[in-house]
Amino acid sequence: MARVCLVAFCGALVAMPATATAQDVVYERLRVQGGFTHEDRGAQASLDDVWLGATPELAAVFARPRTFSQLTYTLTGMIHTELPAEIANRLTLGVSHEISKTTLVFASAEAFQTSLRNLLTSRPAAATELAALAAPEGTFLGVRATEGLSWEAGPRVRIGQGLDAAMVTSIDSGPTKNYLANASFSADRVWQFDALGVEARGGYASNQVTTRINQKLVTTSLGPRWRHDFNARLSTFVTVGGMLILSPDPGTGIVLASTARGSLLYALSSARLDLSAASGAEPNILTGQILRTHSVSLRAWFPISERHRVFCSASIAYLRGGPVRVRRFDLSGDFQGVLADADLNWLATDSLQLFARYQFFDQIADDPTPLSNPSVVRNTAIVGIQFFSQPPDRTLRFREPQRVDRSDTTSPAP
């Protein structure tokens, strides 16, 4: 797998525009880290594991007057005292392109092969997502692609469109295949500080697992949305609507539900805080389920001392949910999830960074059954050192901006 990803990375580099500019950069990173993980699996035996890992990363950033793209390949090798050694690979590509002064298109794609444990700690603490886990272990192979378009159709009219598709399959824990696809469309009337409009969404999920009832689900939702920029730093986003959920499988019914999402974004040149809440039905790529969820999360990246280059990032989240029940007799149970993830980074020199991280994950099954997402508690402490040819100062966000003025297309680098 590593060889395949490396070949794909080199091929993508060749496919990039040959004419370089001073803004084109190729940089390398090497992260060496060790940690301790305590895992409690309920009725099963607990696990105490000490591990050591190394993660080399190669990234290429290409900047043009109207196009920004970034290609990154990451390889992770880990050895454990209680678990088998593992190798993980991740290849990502992000592109943002201004087709014209009024039209912005953004896209991203990734392919990954990783264990579930590595997946939970491989992303920055400020980007950790709280999601249901069908099993505390296993190795997965997956691909995901997203595309979005923002078009200013007139002086006060903005149109948005998005597509998202993913596939994840297990490698060593039984035949599991999950497919997800989502599409969205929005239209806004824009003022200087406000945008009021409508948002429509559609989704498809297919869950094929031998230990569960295989099912396919289709979702559609429609409702108004509102965005407001309070000032250059603070903005909000709110949308509410109705949702219809159905399945083409025999013996199923139709579910009607409400949906709501909102976020409060505070952004500075050196800090970012994002408070979000959601209620409704959302797809889960790891389980292939569409889950009824109520969630709240806070993500933050901020400097503790800019003079000494000490930074902190964190994610705190709570989720309560369960699978959408389109069958009369569905034995899948509800669950709760809690996530706390924080790291402390010290940029000692322009090429050396020291860090420490703690992650807590708790999934609690309300009424455990063979078909329920299991209860599991994980505590992980990590310390490490990172070398790089040059530290990036900004990270492009390859998604639709939240702010009306679209100034949040970049954020501080994690």
Side-chain angles (χ1 to χ4, degrees):
M1 182 66 186
R3 184 178 299 176
V4 172
C5 288
L6 185 58
V7 170
F9 180 85
C10 295
L13 284 178
V14 173
M16 290 291 181
T19 303
T21 72
Q23 294 176 300
D24 292 348
V25 177
V26 176
Y27 63 89
E28 306 83 26
R29 295 185 188 181
L30 173 62
R31 185 167 63 253
V32 179
Q33 58 188 3
F36 171 78
T37 298
H38 172 76
E39 189 173 284
D40 187 352
R41 311 182 197 179
Q44 303 181 32
S46 61
L47 173 72
D48 291 311
D49 180 44
V50 178
W51 52 270
L52 179 66
T55 305
E57 179 179 283
L58 179 63
V61 178
F62 300 90
R64 298 294 181 272
R66 292 162 55 181
T67 304
F68 184 99
S69 56
Q70 179 170 325
L71 183 66
T72 306
Y73 170 67
T74 305
L75 171 68
T76 299
M78 300 177 68
I79 55 175
H80 302 262
T81 58
E82 300 295 328
L83 298 169
E86 59 181 299
I87 296 291
N89 296 272
R90 184 169 180 241
L91 179 68
T92 63
L93 173 65
V95 178
S96 176
H97 175 62
E98 291 185 4
I99 298 176
S100 67
K101 293 183 178 180
T102 61
T103 307
L104 172 68
V105 63
F106 40 90
S108 64
E110 69 171 324
F112 59 88
Q113 169 264 317
T114 182
S115 70
L116 196 55
R117 290 184 177 87
N118 181 64
L119 183 64
L120 290 172
T121 57
S122 62
R123 299 172 189 257
T128 309
E129 295 185 4
L130 177 58
L133 303 183
E137 57 189 21
T139 304
F140 296 86
L141 179 66
V143 293
R144 184 169 188 173
T146 64
E147 176 271 337
L149 179 72
S150 178
W151 173 40
E152 295 182 10
R156 295 295 182 181
V157 178
R158 187 173 297 167
I159 304 296
Q161 168 269 325
L163 295 173
D164 183 357
M167 184 279 290
V168 170
T169 181
S170 63
I171 298 176
D172 56 6
S173 58
T176 300
K177 290 185 179 180
N178 301 326
Y179 301 91
L180 297 176
N182 299 280
S184 64
F185 175 83
S186 63
D188 292 320
R189 170 65 164 86
V190 181
W191 292 267
Q192 183 177 2
F193 302 111
D194 292 273
L196 182 64
V198 64
E199 180 178 88
R201 289 179 173 267
Y204 169 80
S206 174
N207 174 221
Q208 303 174 18
V209 188
T210 55
T211 58
R212 298 170 179 265
I213 299 175
N214 297 342
Q215 67 176 5
K216 300 178 180 66
L217 291 175
V218 177
T219 65
T220 59
S221 65
L222 179 67
R225 71 178 198 170
W226 171 60
R227 290 179 293 157
H228 176 68
D229 294 345
F230 288 96
N231 50 46
R233 301 176 180 179
L234 185 64
S235 66
T236 59
F237 169 82
V238 178
T239 180
V240 297
M243 175 174 285
L244 183 147
I245 307 170
L246 56 88
S247 172
D249 298 331
T252 59
I254 296 176
V255 176
L256 298 177
S258 60
T259 178
R261 291 181 294 118
S263 65
L264 182 67
L265 175 66
Y266 183 81
L268 287 171
S269 59
S270 59
R272 185 184 185 94
L273 287 88
D274 190 347
L275 177 63
S276 303
S279 177
E282 296 291 339
N284 185 299
I285 185 60
L286 296 179
T287 66
Q289 299 166 299
I290 290 182
L291 302 173
R292 298 178 296 103
T293 62
H294 307 282
S295 64
V296 60
S297 66
L298 174 64
R299 306 184 190 282
W301 194 98
F302 55 92
I304 294 179
S305 172
E306 291 193 73
R307 176 184 175 186
H308 297 95
R309 299 194 291 187
V310 179
F311 304 90
C312 180
S313 61
S315 294
I316 303 173
Y318 171 79
L319 179 149
R320 180 172 182 82
V324 174
R325 295 178 175 88
V326 293
R327 289 181 172 88
R328 179 176 298 181
F329 302 103
D330 190 338
L331 300 180
S332 301
D334 292 347
F335 65 94
Q336 301 178 65
V338 177
L339 170 73
D341 194 352
D343 65 13
L344 185 65
N345 299 273
W346 174 37
L347 191 61
T349 71
D350 288 340
S351 59
L352 174 64
Q353 182 181 41
L354 303 177
F355 63 90
R357 182 175 182 179
Y358 171 73
Q359 184 183 85
F360 171 78
F361 175 83
D362 187 7
Q363 179 171 282
I364 307 167
D366 290 355
D367 185 17
T369 72
L371 298 179
S372 299
N373 295 319
S375 296
V376 57
V377 181
R378 298 181 78 251
N379 288 273
T380 301
I382 304 171
V383 293
I385 186 170
Q386 181 169 248
F387 305 91
F388 34 72
S389 56
Q390 69 173 63
D393 59 349
R394 305 287 286 176
T395 297
L396 195 71
R397 300 170 63 83
F398 299 103
R399 62 159 180 79
E400 180 185 7
Q402 172 178 301
R403 290 184 57 90
V404 178
D405 62 12
R406 303 201 296 182
S407 63
D408 58 324
T409 54
T410 60
S411 63

